[in-house]
Amino acid sequence: MQAQQYMRGRYAAPGFTLIELLVVLVILSMLAGLVGPRIMKYVGESKTKTARLQIEELGAAIDLYHLDVGRYPSASQGLQALVEQPVDVESWNGPYLKKNKTPQDPWGFDYHFESPGEHGPYDLYSLGADNAEGGTGENQDINSWE
């Protein structure tokens, strides 16, 4: 009896067994498998919302440009006319954006600008994560006319 207590006291160190560690790892990986896709869904939705807000901000800047100059930027001038004075424009009172560069959409692509537009005086839109027309979810197009 004393020999067993001596063996337990001397050689048995407190800690976790390999099986206990494996059980914990399996549980953590199951939780990550359940929670991970939901988190990624929210990240995609937040990028879409950010693109909508940026399009609204750019639209407000384009409207200010229109008030000062009397016309919208041409398609050749593009959104760059909001941060740099075009050569042929004298009544420019910009820059119309806080930063001295035009923003990219949340996926790293340039916003598309057409003037005159098919849906109004100008069309401003992002093609989403896939940078191709159409799509759903994070690949959907976000535009200024809807």
Side-chain angles (χ1 to χ4, degrees):
M1 187 83 145
Q2 286 181 345
Q4 286 180 340
Q5 289 177 349
Y6 176 73
M7 293 292 282
R8 282 190 202 148
R10 181 170 179 163
Y11 294 108
F16 299 105
T17 65
L18 182 60
I19 292 180
E20 290 171 330
L21 290 174
L22 289 175
V23 167
V24 169
L25 287 174
V26 167
I27 291 170
L28 288 175
S29 62
M30 288 173 56
L31 285 173
L34 293 172
V35 174
R38 290 181 184 232
I39 290 174
M40 295 309 291
K41 175 185 166 198
Y42 289 121
V43 169
E45 287 178 5
S46 68
K47 285 186 176 187
T48 302
K49 289 178 183 176
T50 300
R52 287 190 198 286
L53 291 172
Q54 283 181 335
I55 285 175
E56 287 180 22
E57 180 184 335
L58 287 169
I62 292 169
D63 291 338
L64 286 173
Y65 178 96
H66 179 262
L67 287 173
D68 287 345
V69 176
R71 61 179 174 81
Y72 291 102
S74 66
S76 62
Q77 292 169 337
L79 297 176
Q80 196 62 29
L82 301 175
V83 292
E84 291 180 8
Q85 182 173 2
V87 177
D88 60 339
V89 176
E90 293 182 22
S91 58
W92 190 82
N93 195 22
Y96 297 95
L97 298 174
K98 290 182 182 179
K99 296 181 180 178
N100 286 331
K101 64 177 187 169
T102 56
Q104 291 185 319
D105 69 15
W107 301 279
F109 302 110
D110 290 331
Y111 283 101
H112 298 269
F113 176 74
E114 298 172 7
S115 177
E118 294 179 24
H119 304 94
Y122 63 88
D123 289 350
L124 179 61
Y125 57 96
S126 167
L127 295 176
D130 62 354
N131 202 30
E133 289 189 20
T136 59
E138 200 174 345
N139 294 333
Q140 71 181 328
D141 299 346
I142 299 114
N143 50 53
S144 62
W145 58 87
E146 289 180 356

